[in-house]
Amino acid sequence: MGKTSEQLVDVLIDEIVQKNDEEYLTMNITKNTFFEQLTSEKMLIKNRHMRRRITGLLIKDIWLNKLYKIKLIDYVFDYLTKRFDSKIIANEINYNIKDACYRYRNNYEINLFCQILTGQMEENIYHYQMKEFARILQYLIKLCSNISSESVCNLIIRFILFLNY
Amino acid sequence: MKLLWTIQWSDLIKALHELYPNWTNEQISRLIISAEKDLQQSSNEKNDFEFLLLFMEDDEGCVGEFLKGVREQLEFDKNEYIEKIKNVLIEYP
């Protein structure tokens, strides 16, 4: 899908304005948001310079794997620990996600994820949107008469996220 | 892979009216324009279009213009509802 010139400018601004050249990320321990609750002492976190695409894909994968019943805030660290098979790396990625969320906060999907994790927004906002998208999609599928079993399979694979709703 | 899931533009307009009866013609027209942008196709033609393309995400996990428009419209509805409630509360303290 092509990007509009406005979106391209956003990408440029993200890359130019947001400085991200430190080797380590600074940690401000405030203990009251998701990102700070995991460590109790000051330690150096390697800056992995996460780019927008990787951040977006990681967030998408977290949503895809998360069960509806489990709250996002309770799930992210478990996901990262399983994914990277290490609590230390999970912690590192966690802080890097926080850094990326700040740098790419003008991206809707990244910003929403971050706001849910920091308690500024309800997780239901995300689920409500997905439910509405699924409602439109399901309505259009019903209108469609030329259905073959092969295309049904392809559809389910592509839209598993929507069909969960 | 060629997708076989096609509907007519008029079907999409009808679907949106039925799913969201409170949305105005103007609001739905704006969504159709967003859908045209996603598909790079004009809705004036009586053509079929592959509606699944409206639900694709780009390589960064972002939705297209059509779903962004739907999202904004839902947000607008929510704010309008909140305003209504506020006004009711102000009128009856």
Side-chain angles (χ1 to χ4, degrees):
Chain A
M1 213 174 285
K3 291 200 184 318
T4 62
S5 51
E6 202 180 325
Q7 287 170 321
L8 288 172
V9 170
D10 275 350
V11 173
L12 268 180
I13 290 172
D14 275 346
E15 297 300 331
I16 296 166
V17 176
Q18 308 295 338
K19 264 178 68 187
N20 181 27
D21 49 10
E22 303 292 329
E23 196 179 344
Y24 297 101
L25 298 171
T26 15
M27 287 171 49
N28 299 313
I29 309 290
T30 51
K31 285 301 238 176
N32 56 0
T33 70
F34 171 77
F35 295 108
E36 277 82 21
Q37 72 189 358
L38 299 161
T39 42
S40 54
E41 55 199 63
K42 250 191 187 318
M43 53 188 280
L44 289 174
I45 300 286
K46 193 167 168 35
N47 189 348
R48 289 184 175 257
H49 308 277
M50 273 173 58
R51 308 302 287 263
R52 186 153 97 163
R53 181 164 179 270
I54 288 298
T55 311
L57 292 177
L58 190 59
I59 288 173
K60 190 182 160 186
D61 201 47
I62 292 172
W63 280 122
L64 259 171
N65 282 286
K66 191 185 83 69
L67 296 174
Y68 185 79
K69 281 184 235 164
I70 302 168
K71 283 177 83 178
L72 182 69
I73 195 160
D74 297 329
Y75 178 69
V76 174
F77 193 68
D78 283 351
Y79 168 90
L80 293 175
T81 308
K82 266 187 209 134
R83 168 110 195 218
F84 298 103
D85 199 23
S86 153
K87 280 200 171 187
I88 296 163
I89 296 177
N91 195 42
E92 189 177 297
I93 299 297
N94 207 17
Y95 278 96
N96 276 275
I97 290 178
K98 181 198 176 186
D99 174 67
C101 280
Y102 178 75
R103 280 184 287 121
Y104 302 127
R105 61 192 180 278
N106 64 345
N107 171 296
Y108 184 93
E109 281 80 2
I110 294 176
N111 191 48
L112 179 64
F113 178 83
C114 187
Q115 294 213 309
I116 292 168
L117 278 188
T118 53
Q120 295 170 71
M121 275 202 191
E122 287 278 334
E123 189 175 328
N124 273 340
I125 292 174
Y126 174 85
H127 295 303
Y128 173 65
Q129 283 172 6
M130 296 309 281
K131 222 169 88 183
E132 291 302 300
F133 292 171
R135 204 158 74 93
I136 300 172
L137 178 61
Q138 280 159 5
Y139 191 100
L140 298 180
I141 289 169
K142 276 182 205 150
L143 289 179
C144 192
S145 52
N146 48 353
I147 298 170
S148 71
S149 59
E150 191 197 352
S151 58
V152 171
C153 288
N154 287 329
L155 179 84
I156 289 169
I157 292 161
R158 276 167 189 273
F159 295 99
I160 200 149
L161 184 63
F162 288 125
L163 294 177
N164 278 342
Y165 284 85
Chain B
M1 180 195 70
K2 175 108 174 71
L3 294 171
L4 298 166
W5 299 67
T6 57
I7 55 167
Q8 289 196 335
W9 282 97
S10 55
D11 292 332
L12 179 63
I13 297 169
K14 206 171 142 243
L16 291 172
H17 274 297
E18 281 187 21
L19 289 168
Y20 302 99
N22 62 322
W23 289 2
T24 64
N25 287 337
E26 199 197 334
Q27 286 165 334
I28 288 177
S29 297
R30 272 206 294 271
L31 291 176
I32 298 300
I33 292 168
S34 306
E36 287 177 324
K37 276 189 204 162
D38 282 342
L39 300 165
Q40 296 176 345
Q41 193 190 110
S42 170
S43 63
N44 290 335
E45 302 156 38
K46 282 217 159 179
N47 280 346
D48 290 344
F49 70 95
E50 289 172 357
F51 65 87
L52 290 184
L53 296 175
L54 297 177
F55 295 85
M56 297 285 189
E57 289 168 331
D58 68 10
D59 62 358
E60 294 178 359
C62 297
V63 297
E65 292 300 316
F66 173 71
L67 290 188
K68 269 184 204 167
V70 170
R71 197 159 69 190
E72 279 162 22
Q73 190 55 46
L74 294 171
E75 189 75 8
F76 178 83
D77 289 353
K78 191 181 77 187
N79 289 334
E80 207 177 44
Y81 179 70
I82 292 171
E83 282 307 309
K84 255 187 210 163
I85 302 235
K86 265 192 199 166
N87 287 336
V88 169
L89 290 175
I90 290 166
E91 278 173 38
Y92 302 99

